[in-house]
């Protein structure tokens, strides 16, 4: 069992419990509803095998993270089904980035993950970005989830951090290169997400900027 006094997180990891209050969470859900009205959730699949991920996805911003059987993990400027640009990043997410990222340029991508019943996310490192100096900033909405954070090597020990609606997580510095995932969603505990489950919004910088 985790012991708060001795738990040590990789440097650059930050957890802001209830960063967004309930009104701000509802506002974000409205923004997601508006976004996915134009850029509907789609079913991503693993490269080569075509195995579906357990989450469905969409994106905000100039770039969106996508994956399919033929071309695998990548960023694209258009939705894979509608071929239209992704919806603009909501201002409150840009404000969050400005507040917690410590990074001089805006995020280019905001992945929207929708975890429905039994969805999870295997341990992985976010490494499809050219710019790893910028942190990953993510928001949890709806049902709670058990987030797992390990080290830079596959197969190492992980720690569990229960994330609730409105929480923000930052993976910067060393934590930017660390394995992480979602081992469980406590499905049905929150009524925030219209058709149930958990929404995770993950902002990332993709292309490098010159050091300022
Ligand atoms: C991810 O690492 O892509 C998602 C993390 C989360 O859902 O909290
Ligand atoms: Fe990730």
């Amino acid at each position: 069992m985790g012991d708060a006094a001795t738990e040590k997180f990789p440097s650059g990891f930050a957890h802001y419990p209830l960063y967004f209050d309930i009104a701000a969470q509802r506002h974000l859900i409205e923004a997601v509803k508006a976004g996915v009205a134009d850029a509907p959730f789609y079913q991503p699949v693993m490269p080569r095998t075509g195995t579906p991920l357990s989450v469905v996805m969409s994106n905000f911003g100039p770039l969106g993270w996508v994956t399919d059987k033929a071309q695998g993990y990548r960023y694209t400027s258009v939705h894979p089904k509608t071929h239209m640009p992704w919806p603009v990043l909501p201002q409150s997410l840009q404000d969050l980035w400005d507040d917690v990222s410590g990074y001089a340029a805006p995020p280019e991508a905001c992945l929207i993950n929708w975890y429905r019943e039994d969805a999870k996310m295997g341990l992985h490192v976010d490494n499809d970005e050219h710019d790893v100096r910028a942190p990953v900033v993510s928001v949890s909405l709806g049902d709670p989830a058990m987030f797992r954070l390990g080290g830079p090597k596959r197969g190492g020990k992980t720690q569990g951090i229960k994330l609730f609606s409105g929480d923000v997580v930052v993976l910067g510095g060393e934590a930017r290169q660390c394995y992480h995932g979602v081992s469980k969603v406590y499905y049905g505990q929150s009524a925030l997400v219209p058709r149930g489950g958990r929404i995770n919004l993950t902002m990332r910088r993709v292309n490098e900027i010159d050091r300022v």
Side-chain angles (χ1 to χ4, degrees):
M1 229 183 71
D3 172 1
T6 56
E7 258 175 354
K8 198 171 172 308
F9 294 115
S11 74
F13 169 80
H15 175 204
Y16 299 84
L18 206 64
Y19 181 97
F20 291 106
D21 66 16
I22 185 67
Q25 293 170 37
R26 290 203 180 105
H27 176 81
L28 280 170
I29 286 293
E30 288 309 312
V32 170
K33 273 168 69 179
V36 301
D38 289 337
F41 284 111
Y42 79 98
Q43 179 63 67
V45 303
M46 305 276 280
R48 293 182 298 279
T49 61
T51 308
L53 275 64
S54 62
V55 294
V56 289
M57 294 179 169
S58 187
N59 288 272
F60 291 117
L63 293 175
W65 188 87
V66 299
T67 172
D68 58 27
K69 189 172 170 168
Q71 293 179 77
Y73 305 151
R74 64 199 189 279
Y75 283 94
T76 62
S77 57
V78 295
H79 188 285
K81 299 282 185 290
T82 68
H83 307 291
M84 297 291 287
W86 303 102
V88 171
L89 184 74
Q91 186 60 45
S92 56
L93 292 176
Q94 177 65 54
D95 293 346
L96 166 66
W97 176 268
D98 293 343
D99 187 24
V100 302
S101 73
Y103 198 74
E108 290 165 293
C110 179
L111 177 61
I112 309 171
N113 288 309
W114 183 18
Y115 295 76
R116 293 171 296 180
E117 196 157 14
D118 297 327
K120 40 181 96 162
M121 175 88 63
L123 291 169
H124 65 278
V125 176
D126 293 10
N127 60 9
D128 299 310
E129 299 76 33
H130 305 293
D131 192 337
V132 290
R133 294 191 309 241
V136 172
V137 175
S138 91
V139 183
S140 294
L141 295 168
D143 287 334
M146 186 56 74
F147 182 78
R148 304 229 53 107
L149 180 62
K153 294 207 173 68
R154 183 184 290 280
K157 260 199 188 167
T158 63
Q159 301 181 67
I161 303 131
K162 194 167 178 183
L163 299 180
F164 292 88
S165 194
D167 286 11
V168 166
V169 162
V170 179
L171 299 179
E174 285 173 21
R176 179 72 179 75
Q177 320 281 0
C178 288
Y179 278 85
H180 61 275
V182 171
S183 55
K184 180 182 170 66
V185 171
Y186 300 82
Y187 189 77
Q189 293 201 4
S190 162
L192 185 78
V193 175
R195 285 190 283 152
R198 170 177 187 258
I199 299 268
N200 165 259
L201 305 168
T202 293
M203 288 185 281
R204 305 187 190 108
R205 180 80 202 170
V206 180
N207 296 300
E208 291 198 48
I209 53 160
D210 292 334
R211 202 180 275 277
V212 284

